[in-house]
Structure formats: structure tokens, C-alpha cells
Amino acid sequence: MKSKRKLWVTLTLACLFVGTCFWFLTPNNVSKVSAAGASAGAPASGPARITLHVSGRYEQLKFEDAADLPEAELVSANARTLKMAQADINGDGYADMLATYTTERGSELRVRLGSSLGTMDALPQSYMLPAGSAKAIAFGDFNTDGVQDVVVANSEAGTLSMLFGTSQGELKVGPTISLGGNIAALAVADFNRDGLDDLVAVDESSNSLKLIISNGDLSKSVVKSIEPKKMGRLADVKLADFDNDSRLDIALASNSGIAVLYGDGKGTFSRERRLDYTSSVNGMVAADLNGDHIPDIAVAGPAGISVWHSQKKGFSAMKSFAAGDGVSDLTAGNFNSDDLLDLAVVNVATSQVSVLLNNKGKGFSEPADGCRRPRRQSRAEISAITISTALSLAKATAEPCWRFSPRR
């Protein structure tokens, strides 16, 4: 059990970290890289390994060194990680790690299987994907065989790649589903309570949601569109039962606000509530953050973390928490074993990961001052980080503040 928890926590932080590195290096964010002291003309570097360095005072956060992950010898130096996610693909109870890459050969999905030892010693399984940047991954049983399947969004191509799981832990390439637009995010759940996994996709180009209500075969299922009004550019979507009526709802984030679309249990989301938030969103989670067994909403934005707790009639007033400089991305996890979910973000301005510990469900501790500010890294070094072939967690003696740097 202890090794399982360590693996899940490690992969949670790894997915948070690499996802933000991809955001950090996209064309729209080149100015942010330059502001961090990057060299615009720096050449791309070869593969590197990542170490997360920890320093501070909080003994509640304890991590042990994790073994570097092996990689195939023939890895393109121009490969770049686009998205990471964790799931138990082979049903053995241990977390597996999935990552999409853009390579000289095209887009690729690599799967690393976890083990009872909390390690991933085997080389990753590799699957080529159709054209387009594979920026989103989701999981579900899409062919009703009881085995976890994978769906990957080929963003600019506006398509979904289906990969069906097998009992041996391998994936079988399935059909490609055309949705059109530019797919930025995915979420999977049973919207209409018929026992089949349905899917919702965020289309950035039309600022709409594409709902696929499954009939047992997603490639032959009907696609419905939801077009929220005055939401700006849509960015992320999460699914949860926010009003505790046993019907799934949708939390939708954009560059100008948050909306909750309440479901009727039949695949329709006609009732809407807007949360008091007008800034951009760099990350969102839907999880029980105060221990009342009802999902809450937290988002990362320019000013830090904003949290809304679910109530019988809507949501509580927004609570805000500082989370360091340049907050981006957001994940939830039990990082100190107290049965309450904590939050973690990436601070792109200082190359750090900050953890906000849950304070008995009443709020979150703010990252302590005094984290060592790392030297500024060149764009070549940051590029090396994003195509890393391994992750190592240095032993934490405390403060929830990690600094990352490449190890060649």
C-alpha cells in the first residue's frame, strides 16, 4: 500500500510538472520564456533527466529518491513531451504513466507500467498517433469489455484516437473519431447513467463543448454541442456531482471565468451557474477539499489559487490563497498522509513546484518564504527538461517548494 501511494504521488507531481513545461514552451508563451532569462536563439539540447530539489522546514512532506526511468536508446533529440497522465491501465492496482510526445516521426504515446515495488523499470510501450498535437488524454471503458481504454485528442486535427486496453496491459489501436475544431481538453464519465462511458471535449476554435453520448461504440455515437455564452476562450473541463443529486455536472473554465453546468442524468446540461471569477485560468481541479464528500472547485490563476466549496444551494464565497510567483497548472493529492487533499502548482517564474497543505478542510497553508531561487535557465535547458527521459524525487526534508534542473 505504501509503495502504491508513493507511485501515485510521484506521478501526480510529474504530470503537473511536465504539463506546465509544455505550456511554458508553446509559441504563445515565448515571451514568458524570454522574461525568465532565456536565449531566443538557443539551440535545442539533447535528452536530459530531471531532479526535483527540496529544501525547508516542514517535516510533513517526505519523499524518497526515485529511480531514473529507462528510455529506448534511439530517442529523437527533437522529441517534446506534450501531456502526461496517470491511470491503472492493466488493472493491477498500481499507477501507470502515459505521455504524449511530438517527434520527428509524428505524434507518439508512450506507456510505462507501474509495479508493486513502486518502480517503472521496463522500457515504455510506444504507439504512433495521427497528425496533430496530442494535448489531452482521458480514460474509460469505451468498448464495454471491462478493461481500461485510452482516448487521445489530436488537437489541431480535431480528431480523437482510440486505443483499447487488453488484459495483458497492452493497447490495441482503434478507430479515429473526427470532431473538428481544436480539441484542448477531455473528460470521461457516464452522463446518462446507462453504464456506458461518455466523453466531453473542449473545442477552442468554436468555444464549445462536444458531448459524445456512447451507445457502446464512440465512433458511431451521436455528438452534441453545448455553446456557453460570454465565456471567452474555453480552456478546461472537469466532471463531478457538485450539488449531490447523484447526477454528473460539468465545471468549465475559460480565460474569463468559471461556469458550472448541472446535469439532469439524461445527458442534458441546461441549468447553469457562474462563479464569481473574472480572471484567466491556468489549471482547475474538481475534488473534495474540505472532507464533506462533495466535490469542490479550485483554479489556478495569475493571483494564486481560488477555491469554492460546494453547498446545498450552490457554492461558498471564493477563498483565495497565495501560491508563489507565476502560478500555472494545478493538481490535487494527499501529499502528507492526513486524509485531506492538498494542492500543488508550478511556479514558472521561479522554476519551482509549490504545495499548499490542507488545513483541516478550512483552507490551505501558503508556501513558506525562503525557498532558494534557482539560477535562471536558458531556453535550451528548459527544452531539455521537457523531453526528459527520467524523473527523480530528491529526499524532502521539508518545505513544500521544489526546484527543478536538468541532469545530463
Side-chain angles (χ1 to χ4, degrees):
M1 183 64 69
K2 185 176 180 181
S3 61
K4 286 185 181 181
R5 180 182 176 277
K6 285 183 179 179
L7 186 57
W8 279 103
V9 170
T10 300
L11 291 187
T12 297
L13 292 175
C15 294
L16 168 76
F17 168 74
V18 175
T20 299
C21 285
F22 166 70
W23 173 87
F24 197 40
L25 289 176
T26 52
N28 290 336
N29 294 298
V30 170
S31 61
K32 293 183 177 63
V33 177
S34 298
S39 173
S45 203
R49 296 181 295 179
I50 301 169
T51 301
L52 297 182
H53 302 279
V54 186
S55 62
R57 299 176 298 277
Y58 295 132
E59 295 183 356
Q60 297 180 62
L61 286 173
K62 295 182 179 180
F63 292 91
E64 297 176 356
D65 289 344
D68 292 333
L69 303 182
E71 186 62 271
E73 291 184 5
L74 298 178
V75 178
S76 169
N78 295 321
R80 184 176 64 172
T81 308
L82 298 180
K83 186 68 175 180
M84 292 184 69
Q86 61 182 34
D88 182 10
I89 292 298
N90 56 356
D92 64 355
Y94 298 99
D96 308 314
M97 184 171 71
L98 293 85
T100 59
Y101 294 78
T102 176
T103 71
E104 293 176 344
R105 298 185 299 165
S107 294
E108 182 180 344
L109 173 69
R110 298 177 191 171
V111 180
R112 298 178 186 272
L113 298 178
S115 71
S116 60
L117 300 177
T119 59
M120 296 181 175
D121 295 332
L123 291 175
Q125 303 168 7
S126 180
Y127 305 88
M128 295 306 298
L129 301 170
S133 298
K135 297 179 183 178
I137 308 174
F139 310 94
D141 181 10
F142 301 115
N143 57 356
T144 65
D145 64 352
V147 180
Q148 188 94 301
D149 306 314
V150 181
V151 58
V152 178
N154 309 303
S155 299
E156 291 88 349
T159 62
L160 304 178
S161 294
M162 304 295 302
L163 296 99
F164 298 118
T166 67
S167 57
Q168 291 76 35
E170 298 179 348
L171 296 176
K172 179 181 179 182
V173 177
T176 297
I177 302 173
S178 179
L179 294 180
N182 188 334
I183 309 303
L186 299 172
V188 172
D190 181 7
F191 298 143
N192 54 357
R193 300 184 291 184
D194 63 354
L196 301 175
D197 282 333
D198 310 308
L199 182 144
V200 60
V202 172
D203 180 4
E204 280 186 329
S205 63
S206 64
N207 291 318
S208 65
L209 294 176
K210 304 290 182 66
L211 269 66
I212 304 180
I213 307 299
S214 179
N215 59 9
D217 183 348
L218 282 186
S219 64
K220 298 179 181 179
S221 299
V222 176
V223 180
K224 298 167 54 177
S225 291
I226 298 178
E227 298 182 0
K229 297 179 180 180
K230 299 180 180 180
M231 281 289 291
R233 185 177 182 180
L234 302 185
D236 203 357
V237 62
K238 303 296 180 184
L239 304 173
D241 178 13
F242 296 110
D243 55 357
N244 201 28
D245 65 352
S246 301
R247 301 167 182 172
L248 278 176
D249 311 310
I250 296 175
L252 184 60
S254 73
N255 65 350
S256 61
I258 309 293
V260 177
L261 311 179
Y262 292 99
D264 63 359
K266 300 178 182 179
T268 300
F269 302 84
S270 56
R271 187 164 59 94
E272 180 182 317
R273 177 184 293 272
R274 296 289 173 96
L275 300 185
D276 183 18
Y277 187 83
T278 57
S279 187
S280 60
V281 173
N282 299 328
M284 177 171 65
V285 298
D288 177 16
L289 301 176
N290 59 357
D292 65 356
H293 306 294
I294 302 176
D296 308 305
I297 295 176
V299 299
I305 306 300
S306 299
V307 176
W308 296 265
H309 293 298
S310 296
Q311 298 179 336
K312 291 183 178 180
K313 296 182 179 180
F315 291 84
S316 67
M318 180 181 70
K319 296 181 179 180
S320 299
F321 305 92
D325 297 330
V327 174
S328 180
D329 218 326
L330 178 66
T331 192
N334 186 0
F335 300 122
N336 59 351
S337 304
D338 65 351
D339 297 327
L340 289 172
L341 290 179
D342 310 304
L343 298 174
V345 299
V346 171
N347 304 115
V348 294
T350 55
S351 300
Q352 294 176 160
V353 173
S354 293
V355 174
L356 288 74
L357 296 177
N358 199 316
N359 182 19
K360 300 180 180 180
K362 299 177 182 179
F364 293 89
S365 64
E366 297 179 355
D369 294 332
C371 292
R372 287 187 300 165
R373 187 182 182 91
R375 65 179 178 82
R376 293 184 175 183
Q377 295 165 307
S378 70
R379 184 170 182 173
E381 288 178 317
I382 299 174
S383 297
I385 291 173
T386 65
I387 58 174
S388 111
T389 59
L391 173 71
S392 177
L393 281 177
K395 185 177 181 180
T397 58
E399 185 173 302
C401 182
W402 287 267
R403 174 172 65 87
F404 56 83
S405 60
R407 288 194 301 149
R408 291 183 176 81

